[in-house]
Amino acid sequence: MKELTLDDLRHLMRISAGEDESIDLEGDIIDTGFSDMGYDSLAVLELASRLERDWGVVVPDEVAATLETPRAVLDYVNERAAVN
């Protein structure tokens, strides 16, 4: 499986919860908290669901709640994808 990139994650974020016009997802968001970008817990759960469906990596709800930044999501998914 290929590595999930920040661009891949941006795409998933857009389709999971939409894009707030005031948030520049093209900027340096890697360490920006999802809550700071306007993504609530439901949006993060939808993102986790899309990661499982599109990337084959299961992100349990209790884990998704702890993934607070794009970097955390990328690290989690790519670590698990490497062993699959």
Side-chain angles (χ1 to χ4, degrees), residues 2-77:
K2 74 175 194 155
E3 182 174 282
L4 179 68
T5 67
L6 183 56
D7 286 336
D8 296 326
L9 185 58
R10 284 183 178 113
H11 173 74
L12 292 174
M13 289 171 66
R14 285 185 180 105
I15 61 176
S16 294
E19 183 176 357
D20 183 332
E21 296 289 325
S22 66
I23 301 298
D24 179 13
L25 290 182
E26 296 306 318
D28 185 15
I29 64 164
I30 191 109
D31 291 314
T32 302
F34 288 116
S35 61
D36 294 334
M37 290 185 277
Y39 287 81
D40 62 13
S41 59
L42 291 176
V44 174
L45 290 174
E46 175 60 24
L47 176 61
S49 175
R50 289 210 172 260
L51 287 165
E52 181 175 354
R53 186 173 40 241
D54 297 352
W55 288 82
V57 175
V58 176
V59 183
D61 292 351
E62 61 275 5
V63 173
T66 68
L67 301 175
E68 298 179 351
T69 65
R71 182 185 306 273
V73 172
L74 291 172
D75 289 348
Y76 182 88
V77 170

